[in-house]
């Protein structure tokens, strides 16, 4: 959707570096919109220009290092740095870093990356789909093929797209048909470039074939995206689909959980809204309906970004007292804790607290799986039936007088921890972000690679983002100087960096990987 694989060398010098392809700024539009639409707290509302750097990882050429499965760890480093900047009173720097971090969840929800359409392993994973949608999988008008495609604005020569997804609809779509024909129905480029054309102002659509057919239609605004929502799923298999609807929202969502839900919505469900005439001969919906689908994709990206900004703002206000006792030197700390029983208690009768606790509980279950442990991992969500925690580690989500994450031994000399997550009565919805903070403090792998320190150390050494953060940390700049500096993209990864990084993380594993997480969310019942 918002930007995927862009060649970082495509720049021209005009005072500072600017990008040849205006459509790469679509990521930036989604990163900036939560601030412009008032969906997030300060300092983000007051610094929308510093929030407009969602495409920055592509500009740093960090593919094969920080993108993909290692994105979770890149986000952890960026969030830590943003939180520290905010605690030091440097709002513009915090906003910039958080907007750079927004790239990774945004990239994860793109329809253009959907395994259903790109034909990677969709057939083996149909159990990730709701039961009502599974029979439609074989009806998707896509095929796996190898063709030479001219990838407009990505290079002058045709490029062999080997074993990739191509649309097989009988008629081209009404929306940007010239682009569709030009890329021979190549799934990735038509979806990505169409989404970008719609999200950008008219004067920035010049590099997108057929972009002029949109005329002076303005770029997306939040009100326009919300206006189109009702039509996005109308008459499609997703209309009133519970599994889709429960992924929506900002307030009360853990950022990491919203990232997962956004990926499920964007890659696994939303593609079914591109066509009508199910289940016989699916055909592209009309231009207005397709535009509504792309607006819906953009909405999901904005919501995921808003939860990220809210997490950063909450974490900066949170007092962290972390005495991990005998576990302080462990890498993925949950993996160490699950050698003993763990009990998670929810002390308030709130659906968002129960959802956040269930997400936390699932990470503990995957940690137990990694460690081949037989420990009991209990989740108590009935606040009215709260009982004293049994022996083992105890985690409680409760009201307090401030934002506080407190980790300490349950009693002197005991091998068990008591972990209290507290939020003030005025902001109970922030509990989800205390869960985010605990996941980061414990370096929980989630759906990424493990062991964490192997990847984090390699990112610190080889990733351009780490070098950039170091520069910004050691030399103070005014808000205007910060913008001037980062727009020059002073750090970019090289092919040598990528080779060295790959060698450094060769021993890591995806445990459990993304699909078990998606399978949990697809079957989760509140």
């Amino acid at each position: 959707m918002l930007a995927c694989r862009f060649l970082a060398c495509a720049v021209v010098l005009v005072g500072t570096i600017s990008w040849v392809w205006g459509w790469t700024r679509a990521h930036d539009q989604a990163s900036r919109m939560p601030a412009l639409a008032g969906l997030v707290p300060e300092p983000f509302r007051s610094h929308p220009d510093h929030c407009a750097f969602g495409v920055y990882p592509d500009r740093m050429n960090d593919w094969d290092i920080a993108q993909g499965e290692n994105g979770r760890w890149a986000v952890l480093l960026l969030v830590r740095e943003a939180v520290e900047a905010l605690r030091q009173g440097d709002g513009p720097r915090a906003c910039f870093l958080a907007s750079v971090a927004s790239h990774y969840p945004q990239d994860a929800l793109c329809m253009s990356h959907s395994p259903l359409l790109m034909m990677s392993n969709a057939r083996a994973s149909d159990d990730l789909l709701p039961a009502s949608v599974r029979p439609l999988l074989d009806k998707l008008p896509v095929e796996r093929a190898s063709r030479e495609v001219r990838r407009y604005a990505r290079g002058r020569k045709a490029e062999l797209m080997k074993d990739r997804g191509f649309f097989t609809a009988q008629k081209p779509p009404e929306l940007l048909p010239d682009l569709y024909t030009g890329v021979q129905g190549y799934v990735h480029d038509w979806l990505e470039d169409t989404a970008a054309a719609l999200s950008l102002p008219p004067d920035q659509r010049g590099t997108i074939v057929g972009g002029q057919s949109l005329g002076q239609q303005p770029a997306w605004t939040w009100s326009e995206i919300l206006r189109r929502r009702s039509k996005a799923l109308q008459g499609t298999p997703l209309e009133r689909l519970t599994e889709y609807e429960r992924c929506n929202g900002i307030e009360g969502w853990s950022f990491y959980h919203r990232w997962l839900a956004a990926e499920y919505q964007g890659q696994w469900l939303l593609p079914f809204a591109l066509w009508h005439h199910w289940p016989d001969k699916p055909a592209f919906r009309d231009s207005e309906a397709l535009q509504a689908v792309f607006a819906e994709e953009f909405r999901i990206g904005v919501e995921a970004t808003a939860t990220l900004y809210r997490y950063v703002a909450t974490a900066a206000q949170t007092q962290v007292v972390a005495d991990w006792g005998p576990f302080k030197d462990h890498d993925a700390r949950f993996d160490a804790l699950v050698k003993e029983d763990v009990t998670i208690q929810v002390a308030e009768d709130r659906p968002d607290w129960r959802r956040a606790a269930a997400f936390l509980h699932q990470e503990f279950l995957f940690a137990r799986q990694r460690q081949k442990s037989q420990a009991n991992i209990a989740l108590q969500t009935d606040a009215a039936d709260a009982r004293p925690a049994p022996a083992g580690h105890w985690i409680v989500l409760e009201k307090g007088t401030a934002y506080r994450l407190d980790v300490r031994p349950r009693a002197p000399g005991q091998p068990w921890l008591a972990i209290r997550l507290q939020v003030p009565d005025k902001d109970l919805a922030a509990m989800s972000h205390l869960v985010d903070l605990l996941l980061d403090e414990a370096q929980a792998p989630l759906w990424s690679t493990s062991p964490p320190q192997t990847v984090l150390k390699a990112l610190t050494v080889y990733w351009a983002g780490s070098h950039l953060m170091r520069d910004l940390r050691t030399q103070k700049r005014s808000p205007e100087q910060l913008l001037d500096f980062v727009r020059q993209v002073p750090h970019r990864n090289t092919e040598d960096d990528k080779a060295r990084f790959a060698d450094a993380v060769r021993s890591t594993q995806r445990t459990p990987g993304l699909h078990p997480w998606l399978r949990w969310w697809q079957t989760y019942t509140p």
Side-chain angles (χ1 to χ4, degrees):
M1 173 185 78
L2 305 168
C4 299
R5 302 265 175 189
F6 308 112
L7 304 177
C9 59
V11 296
V12 291
L13 292 174
V14 184
T16 60
I17 292 176
S18 62
W19 284 77
V20 174
W21 311 319
W23 48 265
T24 64
R25 291 186 59 197
H27 258 306
D28 296 346
Q29 300 287 95
S31 299
R32 191 169 184 254
M33 190 168 288
L36 291 176
L39 303 175
V40 289
E42 295 293 352
F44 299 97
R45 288 190 185 205
S46 297
H47 297 92
D49 290 345
H50 291 81
C51 294
F53 290 90
V55 79
Y56 208 82
D58 287 339
R59 293 178 174 178
M60 292 191 297
N61 192 32
D62 73 355
W63 308 298
D64 303 319
I65 293 182
Q67 301 205 33
E69 63 188 11
N70 293 320
R72 184 271 180 276
W73 299 123
V75 167
L76 179 143
L77 293 176
L78 286 161
V79 164
R80 282 179 176 172
E81 196 76 10
V83 168
E84 187 57 31
L86 201 48
R87 286 173 175 163
Q88 295 172 3
D90 194 344
R93 178 161 62 101
C95 291
F96 166 73
L97 294 168
S99 78
V100 174
S102 75
H103 173 89
Y104 303 96
Q106 286 177 19
D107 229 31
L109 62 89
C110 298
M111 285 192 293
S112 61
H113 290 171
S114 169
L116 305 179
L117 303 179
M118 296 301 287
M119 304 293 288
S120 58
N121 56 357
R123 301 299 181 226
S125 305
D126 62 350
D127 64 324
L128 294 176
L129 296 172
S132 62
V133 177
R134 281 175 211 165
L136 306 180
L137 186 58
D138 289 329
K139 304 288 186 179
L140 286 173
V142 290
E143 67 177 0
R144 187 183 298 203
S146 297
R147 299 175 191 167
E148 283 203 348
V149 176
R150 181 180 175 189
R151 309 189 69 194
Y152 291 93
R154 294 172 174 83
R156 295 181 179 274
K157 296 180 179 179
E159 186 177 345
L160 178 63
M161 297 292 102
K162 190 174 182 180
D163 208 23
R164 303 291 181 86
F166 289 83
F167 289 117
T168 59
Q170 293 183 346
K171 293 182 180 179
E174 294 177 8
L175 182 62
L176 270 63
D178 291 345
L179 172 64
Y180 182 90
T181 302
V183 299
Q184 302 178 59
Y186 179 40
V187 163
H188 178 277
D189 287 9
W190 183 74
L191 287 172
E192 186 174 275
D193 292 9
T194 300
L198 291 166
S199 67
L200 293 172
D203 62 353
Q204 294 180 19
R205 297 174 185 147
T207 17
I208 301 176
V209 173
Q212 67 278 5
S213 66
L214 297 175
Q216 292 303 303
Q217 178 175 316
W220 296 134
T221 62
W222 187 239
S223 59
E224 176 67 8
I225 287 170
L226 296 181
R227 185 186 71 80
R228 291 178 178 268
R229 278 196 69 186
S230 61
K231 192 165 187 177
L233 309 182
Q234 190 174 28
T236 76
L238 305 183
E239 191 172 21
R240 293 184 295 277
L241 184 69
T242 302
E243 289 89 342
Y244 186 93
E245 292 299 326
R246 72 178 183 195
C247 294
N248 291 325
I250 299 172
E251 185 171 279
W253 273 90
S254 150
F255 159 60
Y256 289 115
H257 195 172
R258 190 65 184 92
W259 178 348
L260 180 74
E263 181 155 358
Y264 187 59
Q265 276 185 299
Q267 288 201 24
W268 289 86
L269 299 181
L270 194 56
F272 288 98
L274 293 168
W275 298 282
H276 58 179
H277 299 322
W278 293 98
D280 300 321
K281 294 182 179 179
F284 282 109
R285 297 170 71 192
D286 64 36
S287 178
E288 281 298 309
L290 286 176
Q291 289 186 52
V293 174
F294 283 108
E296 176 70 358
E297 182 185 44
F298 201 81
R299 178 191 67 82
I300 297 168
V302 170
E303 287 194 354
T305 301
T307 61
L308 167 61
Y309 293 171
R310 288 180 175 219
Y311 167 36
V312 171
T314 300
Q317 300 176 69
T318 301
Q319 181 185 6
V320 179
V321 179
D323 177 4
W324 290 92
F327 308 99
K328 65 183 177 64
D329 295 326
H330 282 264
D331 192 353
R333 290 182 174 128
F334 287 177
D335 287 29
L337 296 187
V338 295
K339 294 175 183 178
E340 301 277 352
D341 291 349
V342 178
T343 301
I344 302 172
Q345 289 186 344
V346 180
E348 290 293 316
D349 184 16
R350 287 179 59 97
D352 55 338
W353 285 31
R354 291 194 293 271
R355 181 179 58 203
F359 185 71
L360 178 63
H361 178 250
Q362 189 58 38
E363 174 61 15
F364 270 102
L365 292 179
F366 284 135
R368 184 179 67 179
Q369 175 183 308
R370 284 191 291 271
Q371 296 301 313
K372 298 180 173 59
S373 168
Q374 299 299 315
N376 182 48
I377 312 297
L379 175 60
Q380 299 177 4
T381 58
D382 187 349
D385 190 34
R387 299 180 299 277
H393 304 294
W394 177 53
I395 302 172
V396 60
L397 285 62
E398 61 187 1
K399 283 196 293 189
T401 57
Y403 306 95
R404 183 179 174 88
L405 173 61
D406 191 291
V407 182
R408 64 184 67 201
R410 286 184 69 172
Q414 271 193 353
W416 305 320
L417 296 181
I419 301 176
R420 310 186 84 103
L421 287 68
Q422 298 178 339
V423 292
D425 199 51
K426 66 179 182 180
D427 191 11
L428 297 181
M431 178 57 75
S432 59
H433 298 314
L434 270 291
V435 169
D436 288 326
L437 186 57
L438 175 58
L439 290 165
D440 279 350
E441 287 288 323
Q443 297 186 166
L446 300 174
W447 45 86
S448 185
T449 47
S450 189
Q453 277 303 331
T454 300
V455 186
L456 291 170
K457 181 178 179 181
L459 285 172
T460 302
V461 174
Y462 299 111
W463 180 37
S466 291
H467 303 157
L468 176 66
M469 285 188 280
R470 196 174 300 119
D471 269 1
L472 296 178
R473 188 187 315 129
T474 55
Q475 183 174 339
K476 297 295 183 182
R477 294 174 175 85
S478 70
E480 295 76 19
Q481 290 172 332
L482 172 63
L483 291 176
D484 289 341
F485 177 71
V486 299
R487 284 169 178 161
Q488 297 175 48
V489 195
H491 298 281
R492 292 187 181 83
N493 282 121
T494 65
E495 294 307 308
D496 184 60
D497 292 334
K498 296 176 183 181
R500 291 173 181 271
F501 178 84
D503 187 61
V505 301
R506 201 173 302 280
S507 63
T508 60
Q509 295 180 326
R510 280 176 282 177
T511 308
L514 177 63
H515 282 193
W517 268 105
L518 292 174
R519 194 168 287 112
W520 164 75
W521 179 231
Q522 195 269 323
T523 58
Y524 169 75
T525 52

